[in-house]
Amino acid sequence: MFKAKVYITLKDSILDPQGTAVKKALESLEYKNIDELRIGKMVYIKINETDRQKAEAQLKNMCEKLLYNSVIENYTYELEG
Amino acid sequence: MKYAVVTFPGSNCDWDTYYAVKDVMKEEVDMLWHGDNELGKYDCIILPGGFSYGDYLRAGAIAKFSPLMKEIINYANAGGLIIGICNGFQILLETNLLPGAMLQNKNVHFICKQVYVKLNNSNTPFTNAINKNDVLNIPIAHMDGNYYCDIKTYKELEENGQILFKYSDSNGNISDNANPNGSLANIAGICNAKKNVFGLMPHPERAVEKILGSEDGKKIFLSIRNHILQSKN
């Protein structure tokens, strides 16, 4: 069994209006030192697989096919197990 | 002449679209279920608005794996006419039948209102009944309509005349003030390079009778009819 966390974030070149709104909300709470705030997604997956290479290859495939959109997003992942 | 409207789990403009084609345009139309494996013979397929799969992950991302979408992709690659409205547009982007992607509206709100869109290219199956530089009054209703593509793709869209509609004011002026959602270059609708696949965020099916506040959406359906009749002759 492998445990994976996939982090999906908007590319740096793309504005994140949701992140900007949350940053403003924090600033209104007197947190004036926030330089940047961007919101992404985290997908947690347990993979029933014994071979690490296979699990990792499958994880990458799933990201490419569905989990992230290469036009607007990047992804990174952590794989444990 | 036969149309099809595809219903996905979460589609909610499918019957409005059926009404526009059947009762207003007086054309034959079938309702198809996304889980079907076979696609009959159609002159035009419409992917309607709504929230397929609850917009989970990204709007349109899961719908692209519906069984019928495989057939629809083949149909598009063979030159078949497809129009994707709102969520249908998002599905066409996720399926890569159209280039680019949708981001959340710049103001982070769901926007439901009448807008104006200016015609940018009348030489397509979807816009031939619209006068050059015409401005249409059609409603939008979406959360993720902020169209984005990279500069290279944008230049290709421009050079090939693939940008069909841009958000404008009632006089056809294209400005930031007339841009409801932050869409790149005010883009409201684009087609593919072969000009047989068209996606737009405004809802033409909600603007087909005076009682609805505008009949301008009918011009898109009239264009499609013109094109089909011409191609049959």
PDB file of all heavy atoms in Angstrom, chain B residues 57 113 201 205:
ATOM      1  N   LEU B  57     -13.535  18.510  -9.121  1.00  0.00           N
ATOM      2  CA  LEU B  57     -12.153  18.645  -9.597  1.00  0.00           C
ATOM      3  C   LEU B  57     -11.995  19.903 -10.437  1.00  0.00           C
ATOM      4  O   LEU B  57     -11.336  20.840 -10.015  1.00  0.00           O
ATOM      5  CB  LEU B  57     -11.681  17.384 -10.342  1.00  0.00           C
ATOM      6  CG  LEU B  57     -10.177  17.282 -10.545  1.00  0.00           C
ATOM      7  CD1 LEU B  57      -9.436  17.132  -9.229  1.00  0.00           C
ATOM      8  CD2 LEU B  57      -9.834  16.110 -11.453  1.00  0.00           C
ATOM      9  N   LYS B 113     -26.432  37.085 -15.606  1.00  0.00           N
ATOM     10  CA  LYS B 113     -27.010  38.337 -16.105  1.00  0.00           C
ATOM     11  C   LYS B 113     -26.978  38.392 -17.629  1.00  0.00           C
ATOM     12  O   LYS B 113     -26.267  37.614 -18.276  1.00  0.00           O
ATOM     13  CB  LYS B 113     -26.270  39.541 -15.524  1.00  0.00           C
ATOM     14  CG  LYS B 113     -24.815  39.649 -15.954  1.00  0.00           C
ATOM     15  CD  LYS B 113     -24.218  40.965 -15.443  1.00  0.00           C
ATOM     16  CE  LYS B 113     -22.823  41.194 -15.995  1.00  0.00           C
ATOM     17  NZ  LYS B 113     -22.223  42.443 -15.528  1.00  0.00           N
ATOM     18  N   MET B 201     -19.633  30.676 -23.613  1.00  0.00           N
ATOM     19  CA  MET B 201     -20.184  30.740 -22.262  1.00  0.00           C
ATOM     20  C   MET B 201     -21.611  31.289 -22.240  1.00  0.00           C
ATOM     21  O   MET B 201     -22.433  30.815 -21.462  1.00  0.00           O
ATOM     22  CB  MET B 201     -19.275  31.572 -21.334  1.00  0.00           C
ATOM     23  CG  MET B 201     -17.965  30.903 -20.955  1.00  0.00           C
ATOM     24  SD  MET B 201     -18.123  29.171 -20.449  1.00  0.00           S
ATOM     25  CE  MET B 201     -18.957  29.319 -18.874  1.00  0.00           C
ATOM     26  N   GLU B 205     -29.650  29.472 -26.024  1.00  0.00           N
ATOM     27  CA  GLU B 205     -30.964  28.818 -25.889  1.00  0.00           C
ATOM     28  C   GLU B 205     -31.873  29.573 -24.916  1.00  0.00           C
ATOM     29  O   GLU B 205     -33.076  29.330 -24.881  1.00  0.00           O
ATOM     30  CB  GLU B 205     -30.784  27.356 -25.443  1.00  0.00           C
ATOM     31  CG  GLU B 205     -30.567  27.116 -23.953  1.00  0.00           C
ATOM     32  CD  GLU B 205     -29.161  27.433 -23.458  1.00  0.00           C
ATOM     33  OE1 GLU B 205     -28.374  28.017 -24.223  1.00  0.00           O
ATOM     34  OE2 GLU B 205     -28.862  27.139 -22.286  1.00  0.00           O
TER      35      GLU B 205
END
